[in-house]
Amino acid sequence: MKKIILLLFINMSVYAQNSNGTVSGIVKDNKGAALEAAALNVYPANTTVFADSTGHYTISVPEGSYTLSAEYFSYATVTKSITVKAGETLTQNFILIATENNLDEVVITGTMKEMSRSASPVPVEIITPKLFKKNPTPSLFEAVGMINGVMPQLNCNVCNTGDIHINGMEGPYTMILIDGMPIVSALSTVYGLSGIPNSIVERIEVVKGPASSLYGSEAMGGLINVITKSPEKAPVVSADYFMTSWGELNFDAATRTKVGKATSLLGVNYFNYNVKADKNHDNFTDVTQQNRVSIFNKWSFKRKDNRVAALGARYVYEDRWGGEMQWNKHFRGSDSIYGESIYTSRIELIGTYQLPTTEKIFTQYSYNWHNQNSWYGTTPYMATQQVGFAQAYWDKQLTPTHSLLVGAALRYTHYDDNTPATASEDGSVNKPQNTPLPGLFVQDEWTMTNKHKLLAGYRFDYDNNHGAVHSPRVAYKFSPDVQNTLRASFGTGFRVVNLFTEDHAALTGARQVIISESLKPERSYNGNLNYVWKLPAKPFLLNVDATAFYSYFTNKIIGDFDSDPTKIIYSNLNGYAVSRGLATNIELMFNFPLKLMTGASYTDVYRMEDAQRIQQLHAPKWSGNFIASYSLPNNYSMDITGNWYGPMRLPVQPNDYRPEYSPWFCTANIQFTKKFDYGLELYAGFKNIFDFVPKYSLLRPEDPFNQHVNDPVNNPNGYTFDTAYNYASLQGRRMFLGIRYSPM
């Protein structure tokens, strides 16, 4: 009997094997690279296999009809209907196309040369228009807040001037670039990103940590590089218009034109907010009134051997004000009705030209002119800044394993204002700052093996006031396989003295700016450890990106808000400062139409001075973001986005009744989108759906000119009018409605 059963079992096994068919093939991306660990799913057999290191796979399934899908993280899934016959081998090859969240996009910011994101030894984070359209904003200043660890911070409750913090460091430590060209100034995070038409943006690349070895002064805390669209690849026409229930109107449009061998991309952004709102009943506008127009025009020229030639220009004009509800321009600069009024005019030019040589030699140049005409109550701030920049570099593949980059740069800054920043020591003579800053840089990228890569760089700059400045950096990348990548880097950064003091005056409008000594250049030393893990699984694709960072600052320029509430006193730190922490980003893509992205950061930013540990203002220890997108039938979709923040230290006055630390809070948004044919979309939703607004804002709004500070009855604590206590927008819940057209 046992022999009969064994014989039957063998016969059944042979029959089952003979009734099976085989499906095999290779999975590649659209550039021909094999996608190791791509998931191949067979339904309804519920069988999953993974491609090997060469992209090949083999699946054995019973005879029948199936659905075969190929999936890989951040690539569009490809599905095929197949029929498998017994004993036969069916060949099915797949080519997957990267989606907007692809981790292998081409990036340039980390090394100043194009390479895939996964191959870069320097971690680069990317935000694309498809991502920030999930929560439409009138400026890129707000849009970059969707990146974990990047925080657009409003510093003034009246004029709404702000800056961008990277890993808790203030705006002057963040360099803004457009197409790799520095739009350099301490106000670049405000005006460098405000008004750039979203319709001309290809992507935004963010590098956290010092990058002075390539980009020089200002790149101490990080870089934000706005990459604009290539005119040849941009749609002929695109447009986006939305409005909110608070009365905000934003219009964004771009058009492409071809003239001979040149192609033009013209983008326009217009933002208007002219509705006075005072929902906290302090007789001050909750949000500044704004009227802003920005025009951007980029030209690219077709040349022999596809050499690069491009020229771009942007003009920005903004008229904004905040203050008492009865204020109008008649009261500008007067002491009867308080208002903070800012007129801004800004011109930017950027260009790139590749020399007609056999070697890859590029020249780049930029220029910006910035004029500021501001009144903070009765305090004027009038300033003009001009920055010219030019550089040339040689990109040379020395050997199959060594790629060299050598260059020279010159930055020249002219700055003049009506503050102590450009006055003689006794204040009797105006002395505009003229600062030339020449530099040389070199970088070698050594591909030791296909798993190990080492990057070493060095920059030498010379400042007339401070002498030689040396900025080395080194970065190492180890990728044992496509699913795991480890990056380690160390670098230095520096910032020469360049006080564009509108950000100082904007903090209070009532404080006097005092520069107590001859300021020295700031220096920073930074280390980063980054780990990326990709996990393709049957029900989902997972990506984890974790970073630990540590920055040490010397000669840090510190604003003392505490010694005298009527003054801001600037001096070099007699000690050191530290920015350290951990950041984690997690991305999940399911085999049903749901995508999740979330990030969390722990940041400890402080300074040590006279044996005292002082926490950095406006730098929460905990912060994070989240994005959830779900595709619904009939081309509908839903997006939920938001940011959350832990307590951050705020500037308070002696005996202040307001708490020194803000509460935990979250701002969340929801959007519904309907896609039609030919690139037309309708979208609507709510911003700040939890209706969070700060409990406290202005101090003594009834006495903005401090005329009754010494009244012992009505002001026993001697409080002064203060606008600096700010950690979130005063805008509550609001609805938005928009329409966009962007043909593919």
Side-chain angles (χ1 to χ4, degrees):
M1 179 59 104
K2 291 182 179 180
K3 292 182 179 180
I4 296 175
I5 294 175
L6 179 60
L7 183 61
L8 288 173
F9 178 77
I10 293 174
N11 288 335
M12 291 176 63
S13 299
V14 171
Y15 175 78
Q17 290 177 1
N18 291 336
S19 66
N20 278 3
T22 301
V23 184
S24 66
I26 187 171
V27 184
K28 296 182 178 181
D29 66 11
N30 57 323
K31 297 179 182 178
L35 296 180
E36 180 183 1
L40 284 302
N41 304 303
V42 183
Y43 302 101
N46 293 325
T47 300
T48 299
V49 299
F50 295 100
D52 62 19
S53 60
T54 63
H56 286 87
Y57 72 94
T58 300
I59 305 176
S60 178
V61 291
E63 181 178 8
S65 296
Y66 300 95
T67 297
L68 174 64
S69 68
E71 300 178 352
Y72 194 73
F73 189 82
S74 292
Y75 284 76
T77 299
V78 175
T79 301
K80 297 182 179 182
S81 296
I82 60 174
T83 300
V84 181
K85 295 183 179 180
E88 294 185 356
T89 297
L90 179 67
T91 300
Q92 292 291 321
N93 297 324
F94 289 86
I95 297 178
L96 305 188
I97 306 297
T99 65
E100 71 270 18
N101 298 321
N102 178 33
L103 298 178
D104 217 30
E105 293 176 271
V106 172
V107 295
I108 63 173
T109 307
T111 61
M112 207 182 284
K113 58 174 65 180
E114 288 190 350
M115 64 174 58
S116 68
R117 185 183 181 190
S118 62
S120 173
V122 178
V124 180
E125 295 189 47
I126 295 176
I127 179 172
T128 68
K130 289 185 179 180
L131 190 59
F132 58 68
K133 282 178 182 177
K134 297 178 185 296
N135 176 33
T137 61
S139 72
L140 296 183
F141 176 79
E142 298 177 45
V144 295
M146 298 183 74
I147 298 178
N148 182 32
V150 179
M151 176 180 171
Q153 172 61 41
L154 293 176
N155 295 323
C156 173
N157 272 329
V158 175
C159 66
N160 278 184
T161 293
D163 59 10
I164 293 176
H165 295 194
I166 294 182
N167 289 342
M169 300 307 302
E170 306 97 308
Y173 303 96
T174 300
M175 174 173 275
I176 303 297
L177 305 102
I178 297 180
D179 290 335
M181 283 288 89
I183 304 300
V184 283
S185 72
L187 281 183
S188 61
T189 59
V190 181
Y191 300 105
L193 289 180
S194 293
I196 294 179
N198 291 350
S199 54
I200 59 96
V201 176
E202 178 72 25
R203 66 186 184 275
I204 299 172
E205 299 179 2
V206 178
V207 175
K208 300 173 183 177
S212 292
S213 65
L214 272 186
Y215 295 97
S217 180
E218 314 293 335
M220 291 185 74
L223 293 170
I224 296 177
N225 190 4
V226 181
I227 309 296
T228 60
K229 292 180 179 178
S230 169
E232 292 88 352
K233 299 178 181 179
V236 175
V237 176
S238 61
D240 192 344
Y241 173 80
F242 74 86
M243 57 184 176
T244 74
S245 56
W246 275 56
E248 298 159 297
L249 305 174
N250 186 78
F251 176 72
D252 197 279
T255 181
R256 184 191 69 193
T257 306
K258 189 173 180 61
V259 182
K261 293 185 178 181
T263 306
S264 167
L265 177 62
L266 177 66
V268 177
N269 173 260
Y270 177 70
F271 177 74
N272 181 273
Y273 177 62
N274 194 29
V275 178
K276 297 180 182 179
D278 178 25
K279 299 194 176 183
N280 61 358
H281 307 295
D282 61 2
N283 195 41
F284 272 73
T285 54
D286 293 336
V287 183
T288 57
Q289 313 297 288
Q290 295 185 60
N291 190 29
R292 182 183 68 235
V293 62
S294 176
I295 302 172
F296 184 92
N297 192 198
K298 180 179 180 180
W299 289 82
S300 65
F301 304 89
K302 188 174 182 180
R303 299 177 61 207
K304 185 179 179 181
D305 298 325
N306 293 321
R307 292 189 179 95
V308 178
L311 178 66
R314 184 168 76 112
Y315 173 73
V316 181
Y317 175 78
E318 184 178 60
D319 175 2
R320 77 178 192 271
W321 73 270
E324 294 185 89
M325 294 292 287
Q326 60 271 37
W327 188 92
N328 59 52
K329 292 184 179 180
H330 173 75
F331 298 105
R332 196 170 193 260
S334 73
D335 61 357
S336 54
I337 304 296
Y338 187 88
E340 298 187 0
S341 172
I342 298 100
Y343 299 155
T344 299
S345 295
R346 184 175 176 91
I347 296 173
E348 300 167 357
L349 298 173
I350 58 174
T352 302
Y353 182 79
Q354 184 180 355
L355 298 185
T357 61
T358 55
E359 298 291 340
K360 294 175 65 177
I361 301 176
F362 297 86
T363 60
Q364 297 178 309
Y365 46 89
S366 69
Y367 168 80
N368 72 73
W369 173 84
H370 187 112
N371 179 262
Q372 197 83 3
N373 181 325
S374 309
W375 283 91
Y376 301 91
T378 58
T379 302
Y381 173 71
M382 309 294 170
T384 300
Q385 177 171 269
Q386 299 181 69
V387 180
F389 178 85
Q391 77 176 9
Y393 65 90
W394 175 42
D395 184 0
K396 177 67 174 178
Q397 189 72 39
L398 287 179
T399 70
T401 59
H402 283 275
S403 178
L404 184 69
L405 189 76
V406 179
L410 174 65
R411 188 183 98 178
Y412 189 89
T413 303
H414 171 84
Y415 173 67
D416 190 16
D417 69 11
N418 64 324
T419 76
T422 58
S424 59
E425 292 185 3
D426 59 4
S428 61
V429 180
N430 184 47
K431 298 176 64 177
Q433 296 178 355
N434 294 291
T435 309
L437 189 63
L440 302 171
F441 57 90
V442 60
Q443 173 183 275
D444 178 48
E445 186 179 338
W446 178 22
T447 304
M448 295 178 283
T449 69
N450 60 350
K451 296 181 179 181
H452 301 271
K453 182 179 289 188
L454 182 69
L455 181 142
Y458 169 77
R459 185 180 179 110
F460 172 84
D461 290 87
Y462 185 83
D463 180 78
N464 287 338
N465 298 318
H466 313 301
V469 183
H470 306 274
S471 303
R473 79 163 169 174
V474 62
Y476 168 73
K477 182 179 80 75
F478 172 57
S479 298
D481 51 53
V482 296
Q483 293 180 259
N484 296 272
T485 301
L486 179 68
R487 295 178 175 92
S489 62
F490 173 81
T492 64
F494 73 96
R495 187 169 76 98
V496 299
V497 177
N498 178 23
L499 290 179
F500 199 149
T501 54
E502 196 265 357
D503 53 344
H504 309 158
L507 286 172
T508 64
R511 298 198 188 209
Q512 181 184 3
V513 177
I514 302 295
I515 299 176
S516 63
E517 62 184 6
S518 178
L519 298 176
K520 301 175 183 178
E522 300 181 329
R523 296 304 308 261
S524 69
Y525 307 88
N526 174 271
N528 282 281
L529 188 63
N530 172 256
Y531 175 66
V532 175
W533 178 44
K534 306 174 189 177
L535 176 63
K538 182 177 177 179
F540 61 83
L541 299 169
L542 170 69
N543 177 70
V544 178
D545 189 324
T547 301
F549 58 89
Y550 184 92
S551 295
Y552 181 92
F553 295 83
T554 62
N555 294 334
K556 193 171 188 295
I557 298 174
I558 296 293
D560 180 1
F561 296 82
D562 303 322
S563 298
D564 188 334
T566 66
K567 298 178 181 178
I568 308 175
I569 303 171
Y570 284 91
S571 62
N572 284 116
L573 176 64
N574 182 23
Y576 63 90
V578 170
S579 171
R580 60 183 181 180
L582 300 168
T584 302
N585 297 301
I586 298 175
E587 188 173 1
L588 273 169
M589 297 174 62
F590 294 90
N591 56 11
F592 54 93
L594 174 65
K595 297 180 182 179
L596 300 176
M597 297 174 63
T598 183
S601 293
Y602 171 80
T603 307
D604 186 19
V605 186
Y606 65 92
R607 70 179 190 266
M608 294 295 297
E609 189 170 14
D610 299 327
Q612 286 189 322
R613 191 182 194 276
I614 303 172
Q615 202 71 24
Q616 171 67 44
L617 293 169
H618 299 113
K621 286 195 172 184
W622 290 97
S623 63
N625 65 340
F626 53 87
I627 302 170
S629 299
Y630 191 83
S631 297
L632 300 166
N634 301 318
N635 290 323
Y636 285 94
S637 62
M638 179 179 68
D639 299 290
I640 298 174
T641 60
N643 299 83
W644 55 269
Y645 301 97
M648 65 182 80
R649 181 173 170 257
L650 302 170
V652 294
Q653 297 188 19
N655 302 314
D656 205 324
Y657 62 86
R658 302 170 299 180
E660 186 177 5
Y661 284 84
S662 63
W664 289 81
F665 69 95
C666 174
T667 56
N669 321 286
I670 187 170
Q671 174 181 269
F672 297 93
T673 304
K674 167 65 176 177
K675 294 183 179 180
F676 298 90
D677 294 334
Y678 312 111
L680 185 66
E681 296 181 6
L682 290 177
Y683 58 92
F686 291 89
K687 291 179 176 289
N688 195 5
I689 56 179
F690 298 134
D691 199 26
F692 175 81
V693 292
K695 181 178 180 180
Y696 304 100
S697 55
L698 301 176
L699 188 63
R700 288 187 58 77
E702 72 279 5
D703 186 24
F705 296 103
N706 291 324
Q707 295 175 340
H708 306 290
V709 169
N710 298 319
D711 184 342
V713 176
N714 296 314
N715 190 25
N717 292 304
Y719 296 143
T720 59
F721 176 63
D722 183 24
T723 69
Y725 189 92
N726 188 43
Y727 55 92
S729 172
L730 292 174
Q731 280 187 296
R733 185 187 302 113
R734 57 201 185 278
M735 186 181 75
F736 63 89
L737 176 66
I739 182 171
R740 69 170 61 100
Y741 173 72
S742 182
M744 300 302 292

